[in-house]
Amino acid sequence: MPLSSSPIWPGVPAALASALLFGASTPAAKLLLGAVDPWLLAAFLYLGAGLGLLMLQTGRRLGGAEPAEAPLRRADLPWLAAMVAVGGIAGPVLLMLGLTRSEASSAALLLNLEGLATMAIAWLWLREGVDRRLLLGAVAILAGAVVLSWRGAVGGGWGMLLIAGACLAWGIDNNLTRKLSSADPVRIATIKGIVAGSVDLALALVQGAALPAAALVLVAALIGLFGYGISLALYVMALRHLGAARAGAYFSTAPFVGAVVAVVLLGEPLSPQLVLAGGLMALGVWLHLTERHEHWHEHEALVHEHAHIHDEHHRHAHGPDAPPGEPHSHPHRHEPLRHKHPHFPDLHHRHTH
């Protein structure tokens, strides 16, 4: 089977690449924490993501390389506003408040709740299909993340509740983002970065944070571009092709990536924890990669807009105003269809089971 026609393409590579970039950004950002206020660092990471992507989009547009992606429509704005408010503002604020009241070891352990919250909401609210193999894979990945961050007993109090609240906010954010995954992922990441970064910057300045040297701001912005901006755009692409539960499971490998980068770049020791966590995560990813979800299912009539090629699910006719070439994006109609093939809960397979 050609890679382009495999059900894992391009969703799984996009999810793993997103986790790779975000995971690597954590130890990179850690190097700046001694010299940059945490609130300001969060602001520069988000602004670097948003403004960096905006410059890349402007350059592509001036060069005539307009992406074949669907634009954001007015109906998308409430979902976009909720996504930015919950994931870009509320989540970081809750995390910062929690970190001031908690031990770092306990906080690192609880941050793994984001993956669990993402998958639970996708399964319970969005009714994404899940079987025993998928569940075991998710448990293995999350168990690896727990092993990786475990430093002792978890404390209690408001700090832990605030951090858990941040993870819940990001879990909701990930599922809200799925609602927008048919639109241009780069534009979504750009808006979220600029808005969230601007709010974080205002909050930091109100608290009296001092601006660091310009060189540090530039380094933080570059880390944000790759670890937050490009990573988020890839994650939106993964949501489009995999659904929230599976994309969230693959993204839960990010702590392992961060730990490996810390070993290589920061000279941290290769611990038994890291080896065990890597084994558990590798098992979970293998269980997901070898999933074969196939059954007879029905597609109801549907009109929507997204980037597509003329595959089995896109046999529509074109009018004179249709964009040339493939992939392209335009509003199109899907006629009712009943068939059987391997699939994920992507844009065309969000049926109930």
Side-chain angles (χ1 to χ4, degrees):
M1 176 187 294
L3 184 59
S4 60
S5 60
S6 169
I8 71 171
W9 179 266
V12 172
L16 292 175
S18 175
L20 173 65
L21 290 173
F22 181 76
S25 73
T26 301
K30 182 179 178 181
L31 294 174
L32 300 177
L33 272 177
V36 183
D37 176 85
W39 278 98
L40 280 177
L41 180 56
F44 295 145
L45 290 171
Y46 275 111
L47 285 173
L51 295 176
L53 288 176
L54 180 61
M55 288 189 289
L56 290 175
Q57 290 177 89
T58 302
R60 291 185 62 183
R61 193 172 293 113
L62 292 176
E66 189 73 18
E69 291 286 351
L72 287 164
R73 302 295 186 184
R74 181 174 298 179
D76 297 324
L77 296 183
W79 296 108
L80 181 63
M83 180 192 81
V84 173
V86 175
I89 300 173
V93 168
L94 288 170
L95 176 62
M96 292 298 175
L97 292 174
L99 287 175
T100 61
R101 296 167 171 82
S102 309
E103 294 181 359
S105 58
S106 300
L109 178 61
L110 277 181
L111 284 174
N112 295 308
L113 290 175
E114 179 187 349
L116 182 60
T118 299
M119 288 180 272
I121 293 170
W123 291 333
L124 298 176
W125 176 43
L126 300 179
R127 302 295 183 184
E128 289 189 2
V130 60
D131 56 21
R132 185 178 301 175
R133 186 184 193 87
L134 259 184
L135 186 58
L136 287 174
V139 168
I141 292 172
L142 289 172
V146 169
V147 168
L148 189 64
S149 56
W150 182 264
R151 297 291 186 275
V154 179
W158 284 106
M160 297 295 98
L161 290 176
L162 289 167
I163 293 172
C167 293
L168 177 61
W170 286 322
I172 295 172
D173 171 32
N174 293 335
N175 283 277
L176 289 172
T177 306
R178 196 199 80 158
K179 295 284 189 179
L180 301 173
S181 59
S182 61
D184 186 349
V186 176
R187 187 163 298 176
I188 292 171
T190 299
I191 294 172
K192 184 176 183 179
I194 292 174
V195 174
S198 299
V199 171
D200 288 340
L201 179 61
L203 290 172
L205 295 177
V206 165
Q207 294 183 85
L211 291 173
L216 293 177
V217 175
L218 178 60
V219 171
L222 287 173
I223 295 172
L225 172 60
F226 288 94
Y228 287 70
I230 296 175
S231 174
L232 176 57
L234 288 168
Y235 189 72
V236 175
M237 183 68 69
L239 288 169
R240 177 187 298 178
H241 293 279
L242 300 177
R246 289 162 177 81
Y250 285 115
F251 191 77
S252 294
T253 60
F256 176 73
V257 173
V260 171
V261 171
V263 169
V264 175
L265 296 184
L266 304 183
E268 295 186 2
L270 181 63
S271 65
Q273 270 182 302
L274 182 59
V275 175
L276 177 58
L280 287 168
M281 289 186 171
L283 172 62
V285 170
W286 175 78
L287 287 169
H288 279 234
L289 286 174
T290 53
E291 171 196 9
R292 186 173 179 84
H293 185 76
E294 181 176 5
H295 59 90
W296 286 99
H297 56 276
E298 294 185 3
H299 295 268
E300 297 180 355
L302 173 66
V303 177
H304 65 172
E305 182 178 7
H306 64 93
H308 63 275
I309 61 174
H310 289 176
D311 56 14
E312 182 180 5
H313 294 91
H314 297 89
R315 301 298 189 191
H316 49 265
H318 287 92
D321 297 329
E326 294 183 22
H328 59 209
S329 178
H330 62 89
H332 57 275
R333 175 182 173 83
H334 293 269
E335 298 298 336
L337 174 67
R338 186 175 189 271
H339 61 175
K340 177 182 179 182
H341 64 96
H343 61 277
F344 290 131
D346 58 20
L347 289 177
H348 303 100
H349 296 92
R350 291 178 176 170
H351 48 260
T352 56
H353 290 82

